[in-house]
Amino acid sequence: MNLKQKKFAQYFVQCGNAAESARKAGYSASYAGHRANEMLVNVEIAEYINELNNELENACILTAKQRQEMLSDIARDDNNQPSDRIKALDTLNKMTGEYVTQIAARVETSEKLSDVFKQIGGEGLEE
């Protein structure tokens, strides 16, 4: 891919208009008007546009550490409402696995179920 094609892809990611991107990249107005859309189906250019779009999307997403830092700042800031600070702490605790849910279960079988189990060839259920 040549430099003009790279520039075309970069401008296209910014504005989404193929003809305008081609003109900004240095192509003539007539070329840009008639052949800019053909550049979008060029495999190398299309792959580069996808790569640029992915980079742009990833740059917009906060990492877990960034989210934790932001919530920590909210929790520490005395100017925030106590309810906001508590909510930030609660969210941080959930993110870091501070809350552990314990489930206690007890399984009991009835005599009727034990009898059915025996009839189908199983041994008696032990409690």
Side-chain angles (χ1 to χ4, degrees), residues 108-122:
E108 295 181 16
T109 59
S110 66
E111 278 192 41
K112 210 175 192 182
L113 185 58
S114 263
D115 291 342
V116 169
F117 190 68
K118 286 177 187 176
Q119 287 176 2
I120 60 172

Side-chain angles (χ1 to χ4, degrees), residues 12-55:
F12 183 77
V13 168
Q14 291 174 6
C15 74
N17 182 309
E20 181 182 339
S21 299
R23 282 191 297 278
K24 284 183 177 181
Y27 291 96
S28 69
S30 62
Y31 182 89
H34 298 303
R35 308 224 17 226
N37 286 330
E38 291 176 19
M39 292 174 62
L40 292 175
V41 295
N42 175 302
V43 174
E44 279 185 287
I45 295 172
E47 285 177 0
Y48 186 57
I49 288 171
N50 285 335
E51 182 182 315
L52 291 173
N53 278 327
N54 288 337
E55 287 175 12

Side-chain angles (χ1 to χ4, degrees), residues 96-115:
T96 58
E98 297 294 325
Y99 296 142
V100 177
T101 305
Q102 293 182 350
I103 300 173
R106 183 174 175 191
V107 179
E108 295 181 16
T109 59
S110 66
E111 278 192 41
K112 210 175 192 182
L113 185 58
S114 263
D115 291 342

Side-chain angles (χ1 to χ4, degrees), residues 40-96:
L40 292 175
V41 295
N42 175 302
V43 174
E44 279 185 287
I45 295 172
E47 285 177 0
Y48 186 57
I49 288 171
N50 285 335
E51 182 182 315
L52 291 173
N53 278 327
N54 288 337
E55 287 175 12
L56 195 60
E57 286 175 13
N58 289 338
C60 294
I61 297 171
L62 293 173
T63 66
K65 182 175 171 90
Q66 290 169 327
R67 292 190 306 268
Q68 289 172 344
E69 288 172 356
M70 189 178 294
L71 287 167
S72 295
D73 290 343
I74 293 168
R76 286 187 193 110
D77 189 347
D78 292 334
N79 295 323
N80 288 327
Q81 294 293 318
S83 61
D84 293 336
R85 296 174 72 193
I86 290 168
K87 182 66 177 169
L89 287 170
D90 183 52
T91 304
L92 271 170
N93 286 336
K94 288 176 184 173
M95 287 175 70
T96 58

